[in-house]
């Protein structure tokens, strides 16, 4: 009898201890599942020097988030895939990331055609796709949908703001040259709209479209000069930002006509092009490490320099790609914190209309098309005392809300497509 009593007590203690262990488990032993982001971009080839900077912006924001404990203990994990600047490879990676890796979100990519392909896939799988470097206006315009968001500018904002800025200059005869792909044509179409609106007397005297992968720009530059334009608008993507200015400089283009080219103002190109950098050309960007001179910008640059130094690859001058990547991550993070959830529909609801504070000022994710509203700056590249390389002077800030398509225009564009 006494043995049975002791046996019963031992069992009872064991059951109680097991219960306590189970109850204590979530605080002591369980490893929270990470929130997975499938990042697809061109990490090899001619544009990799840009995409890796955007990735560093993502990693900075995510490391800061994880260091604070994540979302109820859940930290973010980035899984990268290289699309080699090919739309079919980007789509294949998207399928693998969603169907095999079970990622919570998709993100990327610098290639506009790849972004459109992944976007359609994300729509069918009801996965949020955060785009940080593809600019085609169709992504959040006629082909936009509930699951695609963009943390960088779009070609309609860039092109039309550039056209408005160019139209304020005393040039009548314009020539357009660019890469013969989605982004190049999207930029050109919107530049023409902005130019004609600002200067109805402006005329386009010719266009040259460079085959993707072409390395010799000489015949195209000859075509430009044959038309004797007053000014040229360059519509180039990531792979052409370095070789085209180099050859155009040797050709003497910048000495003969005014030249406008978004992205050339990025510090990356000033440091790489060196003596080939077209001082005196006009350019635009949505972020400068030296402008605006606000505490948030100085603090962001310091954090980025410290972060990249700790990682063993010190970068002194963050550019637009870094901030676009950082903002893409921040939008997702702030939406998850606001929703207290990583579920797709909860995050979408929190993202729509969300405003975050950034180094270039406040950015808002528009609710009706999921396009970020952020500042766009234009100016002239110049040598300025006390700076390590040429920067922008006489900076003009575009009125983005006046340029961006209205809700009614977006609705009409999507209706026309159906």
């Amino acid at each position: 009898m006494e043995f049975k009593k002791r046996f019963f007590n031992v069992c009872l203690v064991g059951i109680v201890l097991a219960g306590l262990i189970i109850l204590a488990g979530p605080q002591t032993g369980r490893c929270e599942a990470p929130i997975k982001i499938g990042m697809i971009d061109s990490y090899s080839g001619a544009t990799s020097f840009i995409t890796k900077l955007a990735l560093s912006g993502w990693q900075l924001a995510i490391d800061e988030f994880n260091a604070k404990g994540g979302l109820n203990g859940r930290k973010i994990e980035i899984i990268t895939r290289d699309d080699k600047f090919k739309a079919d490879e980007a789509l294949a990676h998207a399928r693998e990331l969603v169907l095999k890796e079970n990622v919570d979100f998709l993100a990327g990519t610098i290639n506009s055609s790849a972004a459109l392909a992944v976007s359609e896939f994300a729509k069918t799988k009801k996965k949020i796709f955060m785009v940080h470097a593809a600019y085609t206006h169709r992504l959040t315009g006629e082909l936009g949908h509930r699951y695609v968001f963009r943390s960088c500018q779009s070609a309609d904002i860039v092109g039309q703001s550039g056209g408005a800025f160019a139209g304020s200059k005393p040039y009548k005869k314009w020539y357009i040259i660019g890469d013969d792909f989605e982004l190049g044509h999207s930029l050109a179409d919107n530049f023409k709209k902005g130019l004609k609106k600002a200067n109805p007397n402006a005329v386009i005297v010719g266009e040259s479209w460079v085959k993707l992968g072409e390395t010799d720009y000489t015949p195209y530059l000859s075509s430009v000069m044959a038309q004797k334009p007053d000014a040229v608008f360059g519509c180039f993507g990531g792979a052409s930002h370095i070789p085209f200015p180099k050859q155009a400089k040797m050709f003497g283009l910048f000495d003969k006509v005014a030249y406008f080219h978004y992205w050339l103002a990025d510090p990356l190109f000033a440091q790489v092009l060196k003596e080939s950098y077209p001082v005196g050309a006009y350019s635009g960007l949505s972020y400068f490490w030296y402008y605006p001179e606000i505490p948030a910008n100085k603090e962001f640059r310091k954090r980025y320099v410290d972060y990249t130094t700790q990682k063993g690859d010190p970068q002194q001058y963050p550019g637009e790609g870094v901030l676009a990547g950082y903002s893409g991550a921040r939008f997702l993070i702030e939406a998850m914190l606001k929703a207290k959830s990583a579920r797709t529909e909860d995050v979408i609801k929190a993202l729509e209309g969300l405003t975050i504070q950034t180094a270039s000022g406040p950015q808002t994710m528009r609710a009706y098309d999921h396009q970020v509203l952020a500042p766009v700056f234009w100016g002239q590249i110049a040598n300025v005392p006390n700076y390590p390389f040429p920067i922008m002077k006489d900076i003009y800030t575009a009125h983005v809300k006046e340029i961006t398509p209205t809700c009614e225009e977006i609705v009409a564009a999507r209706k026309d497509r159906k």
Side-chain angles (χ1 to χ4, degrees), residues 333-352:
I333 288 168
E334 295 302 325
M336 285 189 287
L337 291 173
K338 180 181 176 182
K340 298 181 174 59
S341 166
R343 291 191 290 269
T344 297
E345 294 303 323
D346 295 338
V347 176
I348 289 176
K349 185 177 179 181
L351 270 172
E352 292 180 332

Side-chain angles (χ1 to χ4, degrees), residues 53-348:
L53 291 174
L55 181 60
S56 70
W58 276 88
Q59 288 175 323
L60 170 60
I62 287 170
D63 283 358
E64 291 175 341
F65 171 75
N66 288 343
K68 294 177 182 175
L71 177 68
N72 298 324
R74 295 186 69 190
K75 297 186 177 181
I76 294 177
E77 174 185 325
I78 292 182
I79 304 172
T80 60
R81 294 289 185 270
D82 180 10
D83 66 17
K84 302 181 178 64
F85 207 74
K86 296 177 181 177
D88 57 345
E89 292 227 14
L91 182 57
H93 287 314
R95 288 195 180 105
E96 182 260 336
L97 287 164
V98 170
L99 301 178
K100 293 184 178 179
E101 294 288 349
N102 296 316
V103 298
D104 299 279
F105 306 105
L106 290 168
T109 168
I110 193 170
N111 183 333
S112 287
S113 296
L116 290 173
V118 175
S119 176
E120 286 301 304
F121 175 74
K123 182 171 69 174
T124 64
K125 296 301 177 184
K126 298 184 177 180
K127 286 286 180 184
I128 290 175
F129 178 36
M130 181 63 74
V131 179
H132 63 240
Y135 283 68
T136 175
H137 68 279
R138 298 199 298 156
L139 186 70
T140 50
E142 63 192 74
L143 298 178
H145 55 81
R146 179 170 179 75
Y147 300 95
V148 65
F149 293 79
R150 176 156 48 192
S151 67
C152 65
Q153 299 292 357
S154 65
D156 44 11
I157 296 174
V158 168
Q160 292 193 45
S161 65
F165 176 69
S168 69
K169 303 299 180 185
Y171 308 120
K172 182 179 178 181
K173 296 167 59 181
W174 285 83
Y175 198 99
I176 290 176
I177 183 171
D179 288 324
D180 190 11
F181 70 155
E182 174 73 26
L183 172 62
H185 290 282
S186 185
L187 279 172
D189 292 345
N190 285 288
F191 176 80
K192 293 174 193 174
K193 290 179 184 176
L195 179 64
K196 292 299 287 184
K197 188 174 181 180
N199 180 6
N201 294 321
V203 294
I204 306 297
V205 297
E207 299 182 15
S208 286
W209 294 103
V210 182
K211 184 180 177 182
L212 205 59
E214 177 63 71
T215 57
D216 182 6
Y217 297 92
T218 305
Y220 304 98
L221 288 164
S222 297
S223 297
V224 172
M225 297 314 300
Q227 297 301 317
K228 300 180 178 178
D230 300 321
V232 174
F233 181 60
C235 310
F236 292 103
S240 299
H241 291 314
I242 292 175
F244 179 78
K246 278 187 176 179
Q247 293 185 33
K249 180 84 171 180
M250 294 174 62
F251 194 85
L253 177 74
F254 307 132
D255 299 325
K256 298 169 184 172
V257 299
Y259 184 68
F260 294 67
H261 183 148
Y262 192 80
W263 289 298
L264 265 187
D266 195 285
L268 175 66
F269 302 121
Q271 295 174 88
V272 172
L273 287 169
K274 299 183 186 305
E275 64 275 7
S276 295
Y277 196 51
V279 175
Y282 298 91
S283 186
L285 217 58
S286 64
Y287 172 65
F288 300 112
W289 58 272
Y290 50 86
Y291 186 89
E293 295 183 86
I294 57 176
N297 195 6
K298 295 177 182 176
E299 193 269 339
F300 175 74
R301 183 191 172 205
K302 181 179 185 308
R303 287 197 346 258
Y304 184 70
V305 172
D306 291 345
Y307 179 77
T308 54
T309 300
Q310 290 171 5
K311 294 292 182 182
D313 183 24
Q315 301 289 330
Q316 296 293 318
Y317 311 106
E320 180 173 287
V322 173
L323 187 65
Y326 184 82
S327 295
R330 280 282 312 285
F331 269 116
L332 279 180
I333 288 168
E334 295 302 325
M336 285 189 287
L337 291 173
K338 180 181 176 182
K340 298 181 174 59
S341 166
R343 291 191 290 269
T344 297
E345 294 303 323
D346 295 338
V347 176
I348 289 176

